[in-house]
Every structure is written in structure tokens, then in C-alpha cells.
Amino acid sequence: MKKSIYIKTGRSQDVQFALENGAGSDAVHSTPIYAYAVCKLQTDIKLEGVGLALTLGAGNKLVCSAIDYLVRHVEGRELNELMADFGATYKKMADDPNLRWLGPHKGVIHLALASVVNACFDLWAKSRCQPLWQLLIELSPEELANTLDFSYYEDILSKEEAIQLMKKQVAGKSSRMGILKTGYPGYDTSIGWFNYSDEQLTTNIKKSIDQGFTAIKLKVGSIEEDRDIRRAELVRKAAGAKATIMLDANQQWNLPKAISTCKKLMGIDPYWIEEPTHPDDIQAHITLSKEVPIPIALGEHVPNKIMFKNFIQSGCMSFNQVDAVRVGGVSEFLLISLLSRKYSIPVVPHVGDMGQIHQHLVLFNHISLGHPAILLEYIPHLKDYFKFPAQVVGGKYTTPQEPGLSSDFKDFVQEKTVLSH
């Protein structure tokens, strides 16, 4: 019988990191501040759950305020009882009548929900002395389904269908466990930040290849189209014909420009074009997918399961980049992964968490759901601040062994402190 653990209190923490020398820059953010609205859940046995949601600066305090409100849904709850039917509590938090009007299910409130949800999963895994990936793959399909909120999915993926989908994958589960030893392949997103010079690009590419990466990403989305074309050609030349190269426009093109620029970028044979236009414009993505034969990757700024449902059904999504610190946490991530698996769309997450949480989730996706182990984004800039930073060796994520979902910061990371990197 599992020992009872009660969540006594929850609170937020505002942590911000100012990046320097062009790191983290894209077509929108010239001087980025990576910020985390952190949820910390204290228990009666001094075990702490830590959850994260990503923002990019001053707005972080708004998310923290929402966290301090939402934690009342889990304060006083016995952990095992909470997680045995977590989908019900998730729905109550997402539909809180005092906050739902501000979304629904998007923006500040949904980011706060992500942080609280992630803290609950972190605490649950720690209470079992297991890394999150192990907890998730050892849950029965029924137990995992109970952590999800299937509302508005009944017409496309019922709870019963999700359970059957997971049961069908059990046969190949043992063979897919091998990835725990070989490591999950990563791609280097940090070679090509928007503000990097041509010289930096060339140097970074060589360094990345020497470290074992075979896949790299370049930021595009310039006002001057010629700059994007020139830099993309430079990256292809420096990386070589066999390298996998992704391009990320960070939503900066309208549809006509997306079509025009993507056609010109086809010459470097990109693996995908990421966020080519406004993230809510489903029809524009559909049109682009028909006009230009470059696979589309999207999801970084798709806010919730309903928008993902529509994108997945639309046929324009080639790669699903759902992010557990941008949608409603681990619970909503898992639901979206299940639907994506049903439609055979691979999940290649955006890592607002720097890969800390997603290194666990992609292992679950591959082992338990049968998603192909394609790639996981790697961003190393904050690794010195995490207690158990994600480790990449030879271009592959090594399997984390510490209990929880790897979201704990080191003790010197203080509240409301902007730390220069």
C-alpha cells in the first residue's frame, strides 16, 4: 500500500535568465530573456514538486499570479488520490469559473495551468523514486488515461479508444526499450540564432558536427528575403549534403511571403519549415502545404488541445512540436501525443524547458505509443542552472535517472532574479 502524501501548500517563483551575445535570438526576440513561471508544491514529508512554464520576460509575473490562484485546486489533496483521477482535477483547473473567461484554455491562465500540472507530475514521480519516463511507461493504459481530460475530444479520440491505442502498442514495447541504452537523437538548435554572424554560423556548425550532431536548425524570417537565402545556403555548404537542416521563421511571414521564400529555400533541401506564418492561421498553413513541398513543423505557439486537434485533422502538419511548458502541462501533452499517434504524425517537441522535461516525454512517446524516435531539440544555454541538466553525448540525449521530471533548479537560482548567462 502506497504511503499517503499530502500537498500542504503551493506557490510560484519568478525566475528569469538574460541571454547574451546573440544566443536565443530570433526574428521576433532580439534580446531574449528566458523566463520560467515556476510552481512549487510542498508536502507533509518535505518532498517538493517543481513545475515550469516558459515565458520571455516581464509577463512572467502575470503567470506567477495565476499559479498562486490555481494551486488551491491541489492544496490539501492526497497525492495518490489526486493522480489516480487527475484528468478530473485538470478539467476543474482549466475551467475554473473565475479565470476561464481570460482564455479559455490559452494565454496567461493556460501557462499557469502548465506549471501547476507539471509540478503535480514531478511530485508524483519523486514520490515513487522514479524518473518521469519510467513512471509513465509503467502505468497501465487505464491509469494513464485517467490522468487526461478528454473533453472536446470525444468525437475524435475517446478515452476508450486511447486505451485501446496504447494496448495495441504493448507488443512492441520491449523492443523499443533499447532506446534507453542507445540514447534519444537530438538536434542542435543553437548553431543558427538570428543575430549570429556568418562567421559564428560556420564555427558553430563545425563544433556541432564534431560533437556528434547530424541535424541542425537555422533561424530565418528576415525582413530581407535575400538574407535568409544567403544564410541558408551558407549553412548547407558548411554542414554538407548529408546534414539534416531545419528552418524556423518564428511566424514572421504572411502567406504570400511564406510561399515565395519557401520556394527559394527549397534549394537547400530543408527537413522542415517551422512556424512559417501566424500560429492560429490554419487555412494559411493548409494553403502553404499545397503550394510548397517542404514539410511544415508547428506547435510551439499552438495553445491547446483543440487547436492541435484542428491542425492534426487539417492535413497540413508534418511534424507536431507540442511543448509541455506551453500547453497545459504533461497531461495535455500526452493527450495531444495520443491523437498525433492516431494520425501517424510524429511528435518532435519544441523545448521551452531546454529539454529537461521533454527528454522524459519523448521516451514515453516512443516506448509506449510507438512514435518514431526522430529528434529532440537541444538548447544548452541554461544547463548550468538546473540541478540535473539534460546530458547529450555524441548527439544523443542520455536517459535521465533521477526521480522527477528534471525541472529542479540549483539552490542559487533565486526568485525574481534576472541572471545573465
Side-chain angles (χ1 to χ4, degrees):
M1 183 176 181
K2 297 182 179 68
K3 181 180 178 180
S4 295
I5 300 172
Y6 287 88
I7 299 172
K8 293 177 65 177
T9 60
R11 72 174 186 90
S12 67
Q13 181 183 17
D14 181 349
V15 177
Q16 303 186 26
F17 304 93
L19 303 188
E20 297 177 342
N21 302 318
S25 58
D26 58 41
V28 182
H29 305 97
S30 57
T31 55
I33 295 175
Y34 281 9
Y36 289 107
V38 182
C39 176
K40 292 190 171 184
L41 300 177
Q42 307 295 333
T43 68
D44 58 341
I45 61 169
K46 296 184 179 180
L47 199 63
E48 181 180 69
V50 179
L52 306 176
L54 174 73
T55 79
L56 282 166
N60 208 47
K61 64 181 180 180
L62 300 176
V63 182
C64 286
S65 294
I67 289 171
D68 290 332
Y69 178 88
L70 283 177
V71 290
R72 66 186 66 187
H73 286 277
V74 298
E75 288 176 333
R77 300 288 300 276
E78 199 284 315
L79 178 63
N80 295 298
E81 292 180 2
L82 171 68
M83 300 311 295
D85 190 25
F86 188 73
T89 298
Y90 180 97
K91 181 171 175 55
K92 287 179 180 178
M93 287 193 286
D95 289 343
D96 187 298
N98 291 286
L99 298 180
R100 191 180 187 275
W101 184 264
L102 303 182
H105 309 150
K106 61 178 70 72
V108 167
I109 306 307
H110 215 55
L111 290 171
L113 175 64
S115 191
V116 176
V117 168
N118 290 339
C120 289
F121 275 86
D122 182 57
L123 183 59
W124 194 22
K126 286 175 178 174
S127 75
R128 297 192 177 193
C129 297
Q130 292 179 311
L132 179 67
W133 63 262
Q134 184 178 6
L135 167 64
L136 294 178
I137 67 173
E138 289 184 2
L139 292 175
S140 70
E142 290 81 3
E143 288 172 324
L144 191 129
N146 284 341
T147 69
L148 311 180
D149 171 20
F150 288 86
S151 56
Y152 304 107
Y153 264 43
E154 296 88 348
D155 60 311
I156 190 169
L157 182 71
S158 68
K159 186 175 183 177
E160 293 72 23
E161 185 180 2
I163 290 170
Q164 291 305 312
L165 188 155
M166 286 185 275
K167 286 183 175 180
K168 288 179 181 178
Q169 296 302 319
V170 170
K173 196 170 177 178
S174 59
S175 64
R176 294 191 295 269
M177 294 281 280
I179 200 163
L180 298 174
K181 292 183 178 180
T182 61
Y184 199 96
Y187 75 87
D188 189 351
T189 206
S190 296
I191 67 99
W193 294 117
F194 195 77
N195 289 348
Y196 281 172
S197 67
D198 290 359
E199 292 74 20
Q200 283 176 293
L201 287 179
T202 303
T203 299
N204 290 344
I205 290 168
K206 183 180 185 307
K207 182 179 177 181
S208 182
I209 291 173
D210 289 345
Q211 291 174 339
F213 288 101
T214 60
I216 56 180
K217 188 160 76 178
L218 174 70
K219 294 289 186 178
V220 293
S222 304
I223 295 175
E224 306 87 4
E225 186 181 73
D226 290 346
R227 181 179 187 267
D228 287 339
I229 307 303
R230 177 181 57 77
R231 281 162 55 87
E233 290 175 348
L234 183 155
V235 169
R236 172 54 76 194
K237 181 178 180 181
K242 294 182 179 180
T244 299
I245 298 175
M246 299 85 139
L247 303 173
D248 183 0
N250 287 100
Q251 315 161 28
Q252 286 308 287
W253 297 325
N254 59 28
L255 179 58
K257 187 166 185 179
I259 293 171
S260 171
T261 307
C262 284
K263 285 181 177 179
K264 294 176 182 177
L265 288 167
M266 286 177 60
I268 72 150
D269 188 26
Y271 190 63
W272 72 48
I273 180 67
E274 181 174 337
E275 291 201 306
T277 190
H278 194 285
D280 292 350
D281 196 340
I282 298 175
Q283 186 57 52
H285 285 84
I286 294 171
T287 301
L288 178 62
S289 70
K290 293 177 180 178
E291 291 286 334
V292 185
I294 298 177
I296 295 175
L298 59 95
E300 174 181 347
H301 278 85
V302 177
N304 59 46
K305 63 185 181 183
I306 305 306
M307 289 293 291
F308 272 101
K309 171 186 176 182
N310 294 160
F311 268 115
I312 288 169
Q313 288 177 303
S314 75
C316 68
M317 176 191 285
S318 294
F319 297 97
N320 184 339
Q321 293 185 305
V322 56
D323 186 333
V325 298
R326 298 288 292 154
V327 295
V330 169
S331 182
E332 190 169 32
F333 178 99
L334 296 174
L335 179 64
I336 293 165
S337 286
L338 278 161
L339 183 62
S340 202
R341 183 67 184 89
K342 175 182 176 179
Y343 279 77
S344 299
I345 299 173
V347 174
V348 186
H350 173 262
V351 295
D353 62 327
M354 307 300 112
Q356 295 294 126
I357 302 171
H358 290 95
Q359 63 180 329
H360 297 266
L361 296 175
V362 292
L363 290 174
F364 166 80
N365 274 354
H366 179 61
I367 293 169
S368 292
L369 301 188
H371 272 294
I374 297 178
L375 291 165
L376 179 61
E377 186 173 25
Y378 179 60
I379 305 176
H381 304 309
L382 302 185
K383 64 185 301 182
D384 292 340
Y385 300 117
F386 285 100
K387 190 172 292 185
F388 303 109
Q391 301 293 324
V392 172
V393 178
K396 293 184 177 182
Y397 276 84
T398 61
T399 300
Q401 300 298 329
E402 298 82 13
L405 43 72
S406 307
S407 54
D408 293 84
F409 288 106
K410 291 179 179 177
D411 292 339
F412 69 82
V413 177
Q414 300 297 318
E415 189 167 0
K416 298 182 180 177
T417 299
V418 178
L419 300 170
S420 295
H421 177 76

mmCIF file of all heavy atoms in Angstrom, residues 225-250:
data_model
loop_
_atom_site.group_PDB
_atom_site.id
_atom_site.type_symbol
_atom_site.label_atom_id
_atom_site.label_comp_id
_atom_site.label_asym_id
_atom_site.label_seq_id
_atom_site.Cartn_x
_atom_site.Cartn_y
_atom_site.Cartn_z
ATOM 1 N N GLU A 225 14.524 39.146 -47.610
ATOM 2 C CA GLU A 225 14.476 37.741 -48.024
ATOM 3 C C GLU A 225 15.844 37.217 -48.423
ATOM 4 O O GLU A 225 16.203 36.062 -48.137
ATOM 5 C CB GLU A 225 13.505 37.598 -49.199
ATOM 6 C CG GLU A 225 13.252 36.184 -49.651
ATOM 7 C CD GLU A 225 12.304 36.135 -50.838
ATOM 8 O OE1 GLU A 225 12.740 36.511 -51.950
ATOM 9 O OE2 GLU A 225 11.141 35.735 -50.659
ATOM 10 N N ASP A 226 16.648 38.074 -49.058
ATOM 11 C CA ASP A 226 17.967 37.649 -49.523
ATOM 12 C C ASP A 226 18.855 37.196 -48.370
ATOM 13 O O ASP A 226 19.702 36.313 -48.551
ATOM 14 C CB ASP A 226 18.654 38.788 -50.286
ATOM 15 C CG ASP A 226 17.993 39.072 -51.630
ATOM 16 O OD1 ASP A 226 17.194 38.226 -52.069
ATOM 17 O OD2 ASP A 226 18.269 40.126 -52.225
ATOM 18 N N ARG A 227 18.681 37.808 -47.200
ATOM 19 C CA ARG A 227 19.488 37.406 -46.040
ATOM 20 C C ARG A 227 19.190 35.958 -45.658
ATOM 21 O O ARG A 227 20.106 35.177 -45.366
ATOM 22 C CB ARG A 227 19.218 38.331 -44.858
ATOM 23 C CG ARG A 227 20.032 37.995 -43.593
ATOM 24 C CD ARG A 227 19.722 38.977 -42.467
ATOM 25 N NE ARG A 227 20.598 38.765 -41.319
ATOM 26 C CZ ARG A 227 20.313 37.988 -40.267
ATOM 27 N NH1 ARG A 227 19.156 37.319 -40.246
ATOM 28 N NH2 ARG A 227 21.160 37.864 -39.269
ATOM 29 N N ASP A 228 17.912 35.601 -45.641
ATOM 30 C CA ASP A 228 17.534 34.226 -45.307
ATOM 31 C C ASP A 228 18.112 33.236 -46.312
ATOM 32 O O ASP A 228 18.635 32.182 -45.926
ATOM 33 C CB ASP A 228 16.011 34.084 -45.282
ATOM 34 C CG ASP A 228 15.382 34.736 -44.064
ATOM 35 O OD1 ASP A 228 16.087 34.935 -43.062
ATOM 36 O OD2 ASP A 228 14.177 35.040 -44.127
ATOM 37 N N ILE A 229 18.017 33.560 -47.595
ATOM 38 C CA ILE A 229 18.503 32.653 -48.629
ATOM 39 C C ILE A 229 20.012 32.482 -48.511
ATOM 40 O O ILE A 229 20.538 31.361 -48.549
ATOM 41 C CB ILE A 229 18.144 33.173 -50.039
ATOM 42 C CG1 ILE A 229 16.635 33.473 -50.150
ATOM 43 C CG2 ILE A 229 18.588 32.160 -51.090
ATOM 44 C CD1 ILE A 229 15.740 32.314 -49.842
ATOM 45 N N ARG A 230 20.715 33.598 -48.332
ATOM 46 C CA ARG A 230 22.169 33.543 -48.242
ATOM 47 C C ARG A 230 22.626 32.733 -47.036
ATOM 48 O O ARG A 230 23.521 31.888 -47.140
ATOM 49 C CB ARG A 230 22.732 34.968 -48.163
ATOM 50 C CG ARG A 230 24.261 35.011 -47.983
ATOM 51 C CD ARG A 230 24.756 36.446 -47.880
ATOM 52 N NE ARG A 230 24.123 37.171 -46.791
ATOM 53 C CZ ARG A 230 24.436 37.024 -45.507
ATOM 54 N NH1 ARG A 230 25.358 36.145 -45.134
ATOM 55 N NH2 ARG A 230 23.817 37.740 -44.583
ATOM 56 N N ARG A 231 22.019 32.968 -45.885
ATOM 57 C CA ARG A 231 22.420 32.246 -44.675
ATOM 58 C C ARG A 231 22.085 30.750 -44.781
ATOM 59 O O ARG A 231 22.841 29.898 -44.321
ATOM 60 C CB ARG A 231 21.742 32.867 -43.453
ATOM 61 C CG ARG A 231 22.426 34.145 -42.982
ATOM 62 C CD ARG A 231 21.531 34.988 -42.086
ATOM 63 N NE ARG A 231 21.010 34.279 -40.932
ATOM 64 C CZ ARG A 231 21.636 34.174 -39.753
ATOM 65 N NH1 ARG A 231 22.825 34.728 -39.582
ATOM 66 N NH2 ARG A 231 21.077 33.533 -38.742
ATOM 67 N N ALA A 232 20.953 30.443 -45.380
ATOM 68 C CA ALA A 232 20.574 29.039 -45.543
ATOM 69 C C ALA A 232 21.569 28.317 -46.452
ATOM 70 O O ALA A 232 21.984 27.174 -46.176
ATOM 71 C CB ALA A 232 19.166 28.938 -46.109
ATOM 72 N N GLU A 233 21.975 28.966 -47.528
ATOM 73 C CA GLU A 233 22.942 28.358 -48.432
ATOM 74 C C GLU A 233 24.297 28.201 -47.757
ATOM 75 O O GLU A 233 25.002 27.201 -47.967
ATOM 76 C CB GLU A 233 23.058 29.211 -49.701
ATOM 77 C CG GLU A 233 21.809 29.148 -50.565
ATOM 78 C CD GLU A 233 21.862 30.087 -51.756
ATOM 79 O OE1 GLU A 233 22.769 30.965 -51.783
ATOM 80 O OE2 GLU A 233 21.013 29.965 -52.660
ATOM 81 N N LEU A 234 24.654 29.174 -46.915
ATOM 82 C CA LEU A 234 25.910 29.087 -46.164
ATOM 83 C C LEU A 234 25.892 27.883 -45.229
ATOM 84 O O LEU A 234 26.876 27.141 -45.125
ATOM 85 C CB LEU A 234 26.120 30.386 -45.377
ATOM 86 C CG LEU A 234 27.396 30.570 -44.556
ATOM 87 C CD1 LEU A 234 27.703 32.059 -44.390
ATOM 88 C CD2 LEU A 234 27.277 29.940 -43.166
ATOM 89 N N VAL A 235 24.763 27.681 -44.541
ATOM 90 C CA VAL A 235 24.640 26.562 -43.601
ATOM 91 C C VAL A 235 24.724 25.230 -44.337
ATOM 92 O O VAL A 235 25.416 24.304 -43.895
ATOM 93 C CB VAL A 235 23.331 26.670 -42.791
ATOM 94 C CG1 VAL A 235 23.065 25.389 -42.012
ATOM 95 C CG2 VAL A 235 23.391 27.853 -41.845
ATOM 96 N N ARG A 236 24.050 25.127 -45.467
ATOM 97 C CA ARG A 236 24.110 23.880 -46.234
ATOM 98 C C ARG A 236 25.541 23.600 -46.694
ATOM 99 O O ARG A 236 26.026 22.458 -46.596
ATOM 100 C CB ARG A 236 23.162 23.947 -47.437
ATOM 101 C CG ARG A 236 23.275 22.778 -48.405
ATOM 102 C CD ARG A 236 23.126 21.426 -47.711
ATOM 103 N NE ARG A 236 21.742 21.126 -47.385
ATOM 104 C CZ ARG A 236 21.361 20.155 -46.556
ATOM 105 N NH1 ARG A 236 22.289 19.405 -45.958
ATOM 106 N NH2 ARG A 236 20.088 19.936 -46.291
ATOM 107 N N LYS A 237 26.235 24.617 -47.156
ATOM 108 C CA LYS A 237 27.599 24.424 -47.629
ATOM 109 C C LYS A 237 28.512 23.994 -46.486
ATOM 110 O O LYS A 237 29.334 23.080 -46.643
ATOM 111 C CB LYS A 237 28.116 25.716 -48.263
ATOM 112 C CG LYS A 237 29.525 25.596 -48.807
ATOM 113 C CD LYS A 237 29.967 26.889 -49.464
ATOM 114 C CE LYS A 237 31.390 26.762 -50.016
ATOM 115 N NZ LYS A 237 31.855 28.031 -50.659
ATOM 116 N N ALA A 238 28.361 24.640 -45.323
ATOM 117 C CA ALA A 238 29.225 24.339 -44.181
ATOM 118 C C ALA A 238 28.904 22.979 -43.571
ATOM 119 O O ALA A 238 29.801 22.268 -43.110
ATOM 120 C CB ALA A 238 29.098 25.427 -43.122
ATOM 121 N N ALA A 239 27.632 22.608 -43.564
ATOM 122 C CA ALA A 239 27.212 21.354 -42.917
ATOM 123 C C ALA A 239 27.382 20.145 -43.818
ATOM 124 O O ALA A 239 27.524 19.015 -43.334
ATOM 125 C CB ALA A 239 25.762 21.461 -42.467
ATOM 126 N N GLY A 240 27.342 20.362 -45.120
ATOM 127 C CA GLY A 240 27.482 19.254 -46.057
ATOM 128 C C GLY A 240 26.152 18.694 -46.521
ATOM 129 O O GLY A 240 25.103 18.945 -45.914
ATOM 130 N N ALA A 241 26.203 17.922 -47.579
ATOM 131 C CA ALA A 241 24.983 17.429 -48.233
ATOM 132 C C ALA A 241 24.188 16.462 -47.374
ATOM 133 O O ALA A 241 22.967 16.348 -47.513
ATOM 134 C CB ALA A 241 25.340 16.773 -49.566
ATOM 135 N N LYS A 242 24.871 15.734 -46.468
ATOM 136 C CA LYS A 242 24.188 14.707 -45.689
ATOM 137 C C LYS A 242 23.511 15.247 -44.426
ATOM 138 O O LYS A 242 22.702 14.541 -43.807
ATOM 139 C CB LYS A 242 25.182 13.607 -45.304
ATOM 140 C CG LYS A 242 25.706 12.816 -46.496
ATOM 141 C CD LYS A 242 26.646 11.703 -46.046
ATOM 142 C CE LYS A 242 27.156 10.904 -47.226
ATOM 143 N NZ LYS A 242 28.077 9.812 -46.796
ATOM 144 N N ALA A 243 23.841 16.454 -44.028
ATOM 145 C CA ALA A 243 23.284 17.010 -42.788
ATOM 146 C C ALA A 243 21.787 17.289 -42.929
ATOM 147 O O ALA A 243 21.302 17.652 -44.006
ATOM 148 C CB ALA A 243 24.011 18.294 -42.405
ATOM 149 N N THR A 244 21.066 17.105 -41.843
ATOM 150 C CA THR A 244 19.647 17.451 -41.773
ATOM 151 C C THR A 244 19.542 18.900 -41.300
ATOM 152 O O THR A 244 20.036 19.240 -40.218
ATOM 153 C CB THR A 244 18.901 16.527 -40.796
ATOM 154 O OG1 THR A 244 19.005 15.178 -41.269
ATOM 155 C CG2 THR A 244 17.435 16.914 -40.685
ATOM 156 N N ILE A 245 18.903 19.754 -42.102
ATOM 157 C CA ILE A 245 18.807 21.177 -41.775
ATOM 158 C C ILE A 245 17.347 21.588 -41.683
ATOM 159 O O ILE A 245 16.576 21.415 -42.623
ATOM 160 C CB ILE A 245 19.527 22.037 -42.828
ATOM 161 C CG1 ILE A 245 21.018 21.691 -42.867
ATOM 162 C CG2 ILE A 245 19.341 23.524 -42.527
ATOM 163 C CD1 ILE A 245 21.794 22.400 -43.957
ATOM 164 N N MET A 246 16.976 22.132 -40.516
ATOM 165 C CA MET A 246 15.643 22.672 -40.323
ATOM 166 C C MET A 246 15.704 24.200 -40.382
ATOM 167 O O MET A 246 16.719 24.804 -40.043
ATOM 168 C CB MET A 246 15.070 22.271 -38.956
ATOM 169 C CG MET A 246 14.924 20.778 -38.784
ATOM 170 S SD MET A 246 16.423 20.015 -38.220
ATOM 171 C CE MET A 246 15.725 18.864 -37.056
ATOM 172 N N LEU A 247 14.598 24.807 -40.793
ATOM 173 C CA LEU A 247 14.491 26.265 -40.848
ATOM 174 C C LEU A 247 13.316 26.715 -39.989
ATOM 175 O O LEU A 247 12.268 26.069 -39.973
ATOM 176 C CB LEU A 247 14.285 26.724 -42.291
ATOM 177 C CG LEU A 247 15.366 26.295 -43.290
ATOM 178 C CD1 LEU A 247 14.944 26.667 -44.707
ATOM 179 C CD2 LEU A 247 16.709 26.929 -42.955
ATOM 180 N N ASP A 248 13.488 27.827 -39.272
ATOM 181 C CA ASP A 248 12.465 28.314 -38.336
ATOM 182 C C ASP A 248 12.221 29.792 -38.574
ATOM 183 O O ASP A 248 13.097 30.630 -38.345
ATOM 184 C CB ASP A 248 12.944 28.078 -36.906
ATOM 185 C CG ASP A 248 11.908 28.481 -35.862
ATOM 186 O OD1 ASP A 248 10.812 28.937 -36.244
ATOM 187 O OD2 ASP A 248 12.194 28.330 -34.659
ATOM 188 N N ALA A 249 11.017 30.133 -39.035
ATOM 189 C CA ALA A 249 10.683 31.522 -39.372
ATOM 190 C C ALA A 249 10.033 32.287 -38.226
ATOM 191 O O ALA A 249 9.782 33.487 -38.354
ATOM 192 C CB ALA A 249 9.753 31.550 -40.583
ATOM 193 N N ASN A 250 9.720 31.603 -37.122
ATOM 194 C CA ASN A 250 9.116 32.264 -35.952
ATOM 195 C C ASN A 250 7.937 33.164 -36.314
ATOM 196 O O ASN A 250 7.821 34.294 -35.844
ATOM 197 C CB ASN A 250 10.159 33.047 -35.172
ATOM 198 C CG ASN A 250 11.098 32.140 -34.390
ATOM 199 O OD1 ASN A 250 12.215 31.872 -34.834
ATOM 200 N ND2 ASN A 250 10.646 31.620 -33.251
#
